[in-house]
């Protein structure tokens, strides 16, 4: 029989946070077991839409990465720029290329304070509007300063979207296909990159082609905004707000049941009511009504979740992903590929390969699990990095080694860190602290990306390319040990089970 959320369950008395946390887990176990092991019934069509519109935020992020490479070529061309300020300094080019990254850093930091107030759905609506304003401002910029402002605003949208999208998908997706759907968001990021490369190659020879490249994302922004406005809010976020005193629990419970049924594409039934009761009971046991302090994020279960989440996103970046792709055109050129003479064609080639490998990860993540993909993929990353290091020292006469290493790296990254990193950080944080915890993880992701990007050239000049790739290989081995000893398997578990059993 479902518990009555209006009558809070008795809370055990304890003398320390550690003892109390253990008591909460013991008390919560029957509640978790009562519902979580029953597979959720859902309509596939109904489950796709709550994934599709948030995933467009990832597609727009990927599009910016792919489009900027072609747009900068057009912007700096004396004959094709269509501006009087085409002669940009290296610093100005850096602001154009990295402006959205700086904006994403600020956006993910801003998410820490506004995420739980706005909720996942409204945060995604806001991000789509920022995407739209940034794209149009960039495309119509009459001066360089306006262009940079547009790039920063677009970056704000990236920071909010990459924070809210995995949360909304994780909190609304059925547990049986949650891994597949969140991993599909990475597929959308890669697809966005590929679209950016394609649009860049289409418009690169037109006068003011860079304006068309950036403006082309505007219709997707509008579709995302309309879609997120149409979708219901996350039932888990609604219940969290009501338990924290921001609404009537009975009315919110009724609305949450309605939203969950809409997300599953089925009428109200006992299993849906029981699932909402489970979430409410879990929140009541965990003292969710208390105000959240900043230090609480670095204590207890959230500290463990923070270690896992931030560890994965740091290793995702510091194993050299931006650096390896930087050398992609050179490696393919040395192997005699004619397409390597055209940077946009090389980008499209790699984009297609990344898309295929991400698609494979999406198909198997809920069958094989997260840990096997991470362990196998990162092992391949380490091998490929040492192969690249060997190529730049001992095997320069065999360019095929570098090509194999490059493809092995890209393929293994898209099977492991690419999709699984975002999947794990969306699953691992307790509901009460998920918004703030995930904002820190996203901030760490973009921060470490910026650090690797900025540090690469000085490090390469200091130690050489071969030693640098070998260093990345050593870091990959360290990340393999971290995954083996620290990262749990979350396949098939509900978010409440993950919090109760794995943290």
């Amino acid at each position: 029989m479902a518990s009555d959320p209006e009558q809070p369950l008795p809370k055990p008395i304890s003398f320390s946070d550690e003892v109390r946390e253990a008591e909460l887990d013991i008390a919560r176990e029957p509640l978790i077991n009562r519902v979580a092991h029953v597979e959720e019934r859902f309509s596939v069509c109904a489950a796709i839409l709550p994934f599709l519109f948030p995933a467009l935020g990832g597609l727009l992020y990927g599009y910016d990465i792919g489009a900027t490479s072609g747009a900068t070529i057009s912007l700096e061309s004396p004959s094709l720029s269509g501006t009087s300020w085409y002669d940009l300094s290296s610093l100005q080019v850096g602001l154009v290329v990295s402006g959205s990254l700086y904006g994403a850093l600020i956006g993910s930091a801003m998410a820490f304070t506004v995420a739980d107030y706005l909720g996942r759905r409204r945060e995604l609506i806001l991000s789509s509007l920022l995407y739209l304003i940034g794209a149009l401002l960039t495309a119509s910029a009459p001066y360089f300063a306006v262009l940079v402002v547009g790039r920063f605003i677009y970056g704000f949208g990236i920071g909010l979207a990459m924070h809210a999208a995995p949360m909304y998908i994780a909190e609304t997706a059925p547990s049986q296909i949650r891994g597949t759907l969140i991993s599909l968001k990475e597929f959308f990021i890669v697809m966005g990159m590929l679209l950016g490369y394609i649009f860049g190659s289409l418009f690169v020879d037109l006068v003011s082609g860079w304006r068309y490249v950036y403006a082309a994302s505007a219709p997707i922004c509008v579709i995302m905004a309309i879609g997120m406005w149409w979708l219901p809010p996350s039932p888990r976020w609604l219940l969290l707000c009501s338990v924290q005193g921001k609404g009537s629990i009975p009315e919110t419970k009724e609305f949450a049941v309605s939203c969950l049924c809409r997300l599953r594409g089925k009428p109200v039934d006992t299993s849906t009511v029981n699932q909402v009761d489970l979430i409410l009971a879990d929140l009541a046991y965990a003292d969710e009504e208390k105000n959240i302090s900043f230090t609480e994020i670095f204590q207890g279960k959230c500290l463990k979740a923070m270690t896992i989440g931030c560890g994965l996103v740091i290793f995702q970046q510091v194993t050299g992903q931006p650096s390896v792709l930087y050398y992609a055109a050179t490696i393919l050129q040395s192997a005699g590929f004619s397409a390597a003479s055209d940077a946009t064609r090389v980008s499209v080639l790699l984009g297609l390969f990344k898309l295929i490998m991400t698609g494979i990860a999406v198909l198997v993540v809920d069958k094989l699990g997260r840990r096997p993909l991470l362990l196998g993929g990162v092992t391949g990353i380490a091998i490929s990095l040492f192969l690249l290091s060997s190529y730049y020292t001992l095997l320069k006469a065999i360019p095929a080694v570098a090509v194999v290493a490059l493809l092995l790296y890209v393929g293994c990254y898209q099977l492991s860190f690419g999709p699984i990193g975002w999947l794990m950080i969306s699953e691992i944080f307790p509901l009460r602290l998920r918004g703030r915890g995930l904002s820190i993880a996203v901030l760490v992701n973009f921060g470490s990306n910026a650090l690797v990007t900025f540090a690469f050239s000085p490090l390469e000049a200091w130690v050489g390319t071969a030693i640098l790739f070998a260093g990345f290989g050593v870091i990959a081995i360290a990340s393999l040990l971290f995954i083996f000893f620290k990262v749990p398997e979350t396949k098939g578990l509900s978010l409440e089970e993950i919090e109760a059993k794995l943290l």
Side-chain angles (χ1 to χ4, degrees):
M1 186 176 179
S3 59
D4 184 357
E6 296 182 66
Q7 299 178 2
L9 296 166
K11 296 173 185 176
I13 300 172
S14 61
F15 300 96
S16 70
D17 289 341
E18 291 79 7
V19 173
R20 184 174 184 282
E21 200 166 84
E23 290 172 344
L24 288 177
D25 286 342
I26 293 170
R28 188 162 33 189
E29 191 69 24
L31 294 167
I32 295 292
N33 290 333
R34 184 180 65 208
V35 176
H37 290 299
V38 179
E39 286 197 352
E40 297 179 65
R41 292 188 295 110
F42 61 92
S43 160
V44 174
C45 292
I48 289 298
L49 290 178
F51 149 78
L52 177 63
F53 294 117
L56 290 179
L59 186 142
L60 288 165
Y61 169 44
Y63 181 84
D64 182 71
I65 296 172
T68 299
S69 61
T72 51
I73 296 173
S74 171
L75 182 61
E76 291 184 277
S77 170
S79 58
L80 298 176
S81 174
T83 69
S84 59
W85 37 272
Y86 61 85
D87 188 18
L88 302 179
S89 67
S90 58
L91 176 61
Q92 289 174 317
V93 173
L95 284 173
V96 173
V97 173
S98 303
S100 60
L101 176 58
Y102 303 142
L105 280 167
I106 298 171
S108 54
M110 187 170 64
F112 183 87
T113 56
V114 304
D116 287 332
Y117 171 75
L118 290 175
R120 291 59 163 136
R121 172 176 163 268
R122 284 186 289 185
E123 187 180 352
L124 282 164
I125 293 173
L126 177 59
S127 72
S128 65
L129 296 176
L130 289 170
Y131 272 139
L132 180 61
I133 295 169
L136 294 179
L137 201 59
T138 302
S140 61
Y143 308 108
F144 177 76
V146 178
L147 173 66
V148 172
V149 171
R151 299 290 292 138
F152 269 80
I153 292 175
Y154 195 96
F156 292 163
I158 292 174
L160 292 179
M162 297 309 290
H163 170 261
M167 271 201 302
Y168 186 87
I169 297 169
E171 291 182 359
T172 59
S175 57
Q176 302 99 300
I177 60 171
R178 186 181 64 241
T180 298
L181 292 181
I182 299 176
S183 300
L184 262 174
K185 185 183 72 67
E186 172 70 16
F187 184 86
F188 269 59
I189 293 175
V190 177
M191 186 164 62
M193 292 171 63
L194 184 58
L195 285 174
Y197 294 142
I198 292 171
F199 274 86
S201 64
L202 288 175
F203 295 127
V204 72
D205 293 326
L206 299 180
V207 175
S208 296
W210 61 274
R211 296 187 187 274
Y212 300 114
V213 172
Y214 284 123
S217 64
I220 303 174
C221 305
V222 174
I223 293 170
M224 178 184 171
I226 294 172
M228 289 311 307
W229 176 81
W230 176 78
L231 286 173
S234 160
R236 285 179 168 90
W237 176 77
L238 289 171
L239 295 171
L240 175 63
C241 290
S242 69
V243 170
Q244 291 178 337
K246 299 171 185 174
S248 165
I249 290 181
E251 292 178 6
T252 303
K253 176 184 171 182
E254 184 179 351
F255 185 37
V257 170
S258 172
C259 290
L260 190 58
C261 289
R262 184 178 164 193
L263 290 164
R264 297 291 179 269
K266 65 177 185 178
V268 176
D269 59 11
T270 305
S271 66
T272 308
V273 176
N274 284 345
Q275 189 175 356
V276 170
D277 283 338
L278 168 66
I279 298 169
L280 272 171
D282 192 61
L283 292 172
Y285 268 110
D287 266 353
E288 302 294 328
E289 70 275 7
K290 289 169 59 179
N291 290 327
I292 302 169
S293 65
F294 179 77
T295 56
E296 198 172 347
I297 298 172
F298 303 99
Q299 297 173 1
K301 289 187 173 185
C302 199
L303 175 61
K304 184 175 180 180
M306 190 70 71
T307 302
I308 295 168
C310 290
L312 282 174
V313 296
I314 288 173
F315 281 123
Q316 184 187 57
Q317 299 298 329
V318 300
T319 45
Q321 193 245 1
S323 308
V324 172
L325 293 183
Y326 176 83
Y327 271 90
T330 305
I331 290 170
L332 291 174
Q333 219 168 15
S334 68
F337 283 79
S338 59
S341 60
D342 186 339
T344 57
R345 292 181 187 173
V346 173
S347 299
V348 170
L349 177 67
L350 281 176
L352 281 171
F353 181 64
K354 289 177 67 157
L355 196 66
I356 292 168
M357 297 308 295
T358 307
I360 293 172
V362 167
L363 292 174
V364 301
V365 65
D366 277 324
K367 297 176 182 177
L368 295 181
R370 286 64 161 153
R371 277 175 59 86
L373 286 176
L374 280 172
L375 292 170
V378 176
T379 299
I381 286 173
I383 293 171
S384 67
L385 287 167
F386 286 120
L387 276 176
L388 281 172
S389 177
S390 300
Y391 169 72
Y392 282 101
T393 51
L394 306 173
L395 305 173
K396 283 190 175 181
I398 315 175
V401 171
V403 176
V404 169
L406 172 66
L407 296 179
L408 178 64
Y409 183 97
V410 171
C412 288
Y413 181 88
Q414 294 308 136
L415 284 174
S416 55
F417 276 140
I420 309 301
W422 290 105
L423 169 58
M424 290 297 297
I425 64 173
S426 66
E427 293 179 324
I428 204 71
F429 288 102
L431 175 58
R432 181 186 184 209
L433 298 164
R434 186 171 296 141
R436 296 188 175 186
L438 192 57
S439 70
I440 293 176
V442 174
L443 181 63
V444 169
N445 176 277
F446 286 121
S448 54
N449 184 314
L451 181 63
V452 171
T453 301
F454 293 143
F456 175 74
S457 293
L459 285 173
E460 184 192 20
W462 182 35
V463 300
T465 306
I467 295 177
L468 186 56
F469 280 133
F472 285 141
V474 171
I475 295 173
I477 292 174
S479 69
L480 199 58
L481 295 173
F482 173 81
I483 293 164
F484 185 82
F485 290 107
K486 289 290 185 181
V487 178
E489 180 56 73
T490 59
K491 179 186 74 170
L493 299 178
S494 72
L495 296 179
E496 288 69 38
E497 280 185 297
I498 293 170
E499 179 179 349
K501 296 181 176 182
L502 300 183
L503 295 180

